[in-house]
């Protein structure tokens, strides 16, 4: 992957300007800085290697050279995205899931922002926002996909088992066509933010439906229940003890199936 092949692979998509880095700290950090510096809608940062890649809850995200897709897309929010910013995580999850389905795989989304193959994590999403005072200026949609097994960190460091697209496929995979398909799907789904259609597609890919799950919120409070579906606002609906219905709001949450 280099700037030239990347440009060529994405040339039919109506994206903003593109920045490619052979190596970078974190594409999300660079995108947040670029957003503050006036990046237009759909500006894109792609890196072949990240040395300080970040996951949710300040975890490290591994992106060794040549092993992964790591990019950040800047959105100047539409009114719908401004009203439903959390749906942009679903936007990226649905776009990746659709692109993996086209390759004969069966991805599921571990709500809110991990994508699984065979019950193991193949990709993570980190959406961050740039604010001026109370005004949402930009959303940065970061995606990391394990393409080869080299992208998966050592198992003993993981809270959830990892997999790569190539391991699931049992064959090598070209990264640029996958990137193209994810971005094309995202452009297709973007007008559906806030319409219910995107939530429906996100819901249709939900992992652990009907299973007993454990969910811990950022504040440390934990809940268990049977995972039912997504609510109309993208929250996760569980059936708790004595049939009590529980809605988990989008945010810093951990979700695990209970074996
Ligand atoms: C997670 O699973 O916790 C989210 C991982 C998000 C990783 C991507 S890789 C591209 C972008 N740049 C970062 O530093 N993080 C995101």
């Amino acid at each position: 992957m280099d700037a030239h092949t990347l440009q060529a692979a994405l040339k039919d998509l109506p994206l903003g300007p593109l920045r490619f880095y052979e190596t970078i700290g974190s594409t999300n950090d660079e995108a947040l800085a670029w957003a503050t510096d006036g990046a237009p809608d759909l500006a894109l940062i792609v890196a072949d290697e990240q040395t300080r890649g970040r996951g949710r809850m300040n975890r490290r995200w591994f992106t060794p050279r040549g092993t992964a897709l790591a990019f950040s897309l800047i959105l100047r929010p539409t009114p719908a995205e401004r009203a439903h910013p959390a749906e942009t995580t679903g936007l990226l999850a649905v776009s990746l899931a659709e692109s993996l389905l086209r390759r004969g795989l069966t991805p599921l989304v571990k709500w809110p922002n991990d994508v699984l193959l065979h019950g193991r994590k193949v990709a993570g999403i980190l959406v961050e926002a740039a604010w001026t005072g109370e005004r949402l200026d930009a959303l940065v949609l970061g995606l990391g996909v394990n393409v080869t097994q080299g992208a998966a960190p050592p198992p003993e460091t993981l809270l959830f088992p990892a997999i790569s697209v190539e391991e699931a496929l049992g064959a090598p995979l070209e990264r640029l066509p996958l990137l193209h398909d994810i971005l094309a799907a995202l452009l297709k789904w973007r007008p559906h933010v806030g319409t219910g259609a995107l939530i429906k597609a996100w819901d249709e890919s939900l992992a652990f439906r009907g299973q007993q799950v454990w969910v811990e919120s950022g504040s440390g409070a934990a809940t268990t229940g049977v995972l039912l579906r997504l609510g109309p606002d993208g929250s996760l609906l569980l059936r708790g003890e004595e049939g009590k219905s529980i809605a988990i709001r989008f945010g810093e949450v951990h979700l695990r199936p209970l074996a």
Side-chain angles (χ1 to χ4, degrees):
M1 190 190 293
D2 58 34
H4 184 72
T5 52
L6 184 63
Q7 256 330 327
L10 303 181
K11 69 175 184 310
D12 66 319
L13 299 178
L15 295 166
L18 181 58
R19 289 185 181 172
F20 170 75
Y21 295 86
E22 276 178 12
T23 182
I24 198 172
S26 151
T27 56
N28 262 37
D29 287 345
E30 187 68 19
L32 286 166
W34 193 10
T36 306
D37 213 23
D41 189 42
L42 295 170
L44 177 68
I45 299 189
V46 181
D48 193 29
E49 175 187 41
Q50 293 186 116
T51 55
R52 296 168 63 88
R54 293 186 292 108
R56 290 196 314 141
M57 306 186 207
N58 278 328
R59 292 207 209 97
R60 273 197 70 188
W61 183 263
F62 288 81
T63 313
R65 185 180 297 254
T67 63
L69 273 182
F71 72 82
S72 301
L73 183 71
I74 297 170
L75 299 185
R76 293 293 177 189
T78 60
E81 288 158 357
R82 213 174 272 290
H84 308 275
E87 272 192 43
T88 57
T89 294
L91 176 64
L92 203 41
V94 164
S95 302
L96 173 61
E98 202 171 273
S99 308
L100 294 174
L101 261 175
R102 285 182 58 176
R103 287 165 171 78
L105 296 167
T106 46
L108 290 174
V109 178
K110 181 163 89 67
W111 185 90
N113 58 347
D114 292 340
V115 177
L116 310 180
L117 288 172
H118 305 305
R120 289 151 66 193
K121 176 163 169 170
V122 73
I125 294 167
L126 181 65
V127 173
E128 297 182 297
W131 299 84
T132 303
E134 305 252 299
R135 186 181 163 80
L136 177 61
D137 268 347
L139 288 162
V140 167
L141 276 52
L143 176 68
V145 184
N146 302 332
V147 174
T148 75
Q149 264 318 92
E156 61 277 10
T157 66
L158 293 175
L159 295 172
F160 199 86
I163 193 170
S164 67
V165 184
E166 289 194 348
E167 187 187 352
L169 272 177
L173 179 90
E174 290 277 340
R175 285 181 293 168
L176 289 177
L178 178 63
L179 174 64
H180 175 279
D181 289 0
I182 296 166
L183 293 168
L186 186 140
L187 293 170
K188 182 190 79 177
W189 278 105
R190 188 178 185 194
H192 298 284
V193 170
T195 65
L198 178 63
I199 298 281
K200 182 166 177 285
W202 196 4
D203 177 73
E204 282 167 1
S205 315
L206 270 192
F208 313 127
R209 192 191 307 277
Q211 291 184 40
Q212 188 80 20
V213 296
W214 172 90
V215 184
E216 187 189 44
S217 74
S219 64
T223 313
T224 57
V226 175
L227 191 154
L228 298 177
R229 62 180 177 280
L230 292 186
D233 60 350
S235 56
L236 186 70
L237 304 183
L238 306 184
R239 188 174 59 245
E241 278 170 26
E242 293 160 15
K244 196 174 100 194
S245 119
I246 304 167
I248 313 282
R249 303 262 168 261
F250 196 89
E252 297 276 280
V253 293
H254 294 283
L255 167 72
R256 298 274 178 283
L258 285 173

